Amino acid sequence: MKKKVIFGAVIFILCVALAGIYWFVSRDRRAVINMVQELADSLFLKSGRPAHEGVLKHQKVGEFFAERISIRIVDPEISMDVSNEELVQYAAIFFRQADSLEIKTQDVAAEVAGEKATFSCDAEIYCTVKNSGDEMSGVYRISGSAEKIDGNWKISSIVIEPVIK
């Protein structure tokens, strides 16, 4: 009888421990997925917006990224490592030149291992250039890695490649 009670207690403790681990991992996984979706939502630009809106947006972009970011774009082939400050400056230039931008994310997935995570999604991107009115659109596979810094998930690398459909 005593062995059954001890065995039952051990099984119960293991179940509670596994449930706790699952809860922490799934919470972080949801946080990474939400971060990717929030980044895409924060980049939305409406045509004819007030000038100050672009300023506010480019500053917010930096909140999603680590101090150093590795960026790789597959087509055209571009690879660079930039600081968070440089990324914010590039975003400012982009927001000055873009009239509208919409990013619709689909199938956002994330895997978490401790303080590191990987993520991926498909994104439909629509953009209009301010002065020329040129329109660009496409479907891209976006993947990357993130790390937990001071309790917040920050993107440390990103790869953007076109999806041929």
Side-chain angles (χ1 to χ4, degrees):
M1 176 75 169
K2 191 174 182 181
K3 287 182 181 182
K4 285 184 181 181
V5 171
I6 292 173
F7 181 72
V10 168
I11 295 297
F12 176 75
I13 291 170
L14 284 173
C15 288
V16 169
L18 289 174
I21 290 169
Y22 175 78
W23 183 79
F24 279 112
V25 169
S26 66
R27 183 183 67 173
D28 280 340
R29 186 176 134 314
R30 282 191 309 273
V32 172
I33 290 170
N34 288 341
M35 175 193 59
V36 171
Q37 291 172 327
E38 286 175 27
L39 173 59
D41 292 344
S42 74
L43 295 175
F44 176 79
L45 293 175
K46 182 179 177 184
S47 183
R49 71 189 180 282
H52 71 278
E53 190 175 306
V55 172
L56 298 175
K57 286 194 178 285
H58 88 264
Q59 291 172 345
K60 184 156 179 67
V61 167
E63 296 175 12
F64 293 95
F65 292 90
E67 283 304 310
R68 297 287 314 162
I69 307 106
S70 173
I71 301 170
R72 182 169 166 255
I73 302 171
V74 174
D75 188 19
E77 185 64 41
I78 300 171
S79 292
M80 63 179 144
D81 290 324
V82 296
S83 69
N84 187 295
E85 188 175 298
E86 291 170 314
L87 182 69
V88 169
Q89 291 171 355
Y90 291 140
I93 293 167
F94 173 80
F95 286 132
R96 278 196 297 268
Q97 295 175 352
D99 183 46
S100 65
L101 174 66
E102 184 175 5
I103 301 174
K104 296 179 182 177
T105 57
Q106 301 170 4
D107 303 324
V108 181
E111 294 295 326
V112 175
E115 302 290 305
K116 305 265 185 205
T118 58
F119 63 88
S120 64
C121 69
D122 289 336
E124 292 180 54
I125 301 175
Y126 306 94
C127 179
T128 307
V129 180
K130 222 178 232 174
N131 294 327
S132 68
D134 290 344
E135 294 181 3
M136 297 174 275
S137 64
V139 178
Y140 297 87
R141 183 75 176 158
I142 301 173
S143 59
S145 60
E147 51 192 63
K148 204 171 200 179
I149 301 170
D150 297 328
N152 296 311
W153 287 100
K154 304 284 185 178
I155 297 170
S156 55
S157 72
I158 193 161
V159 176
I160 303 168
E161 55 188 311
V163 174
I164 300 171
K165 289 192 173 187

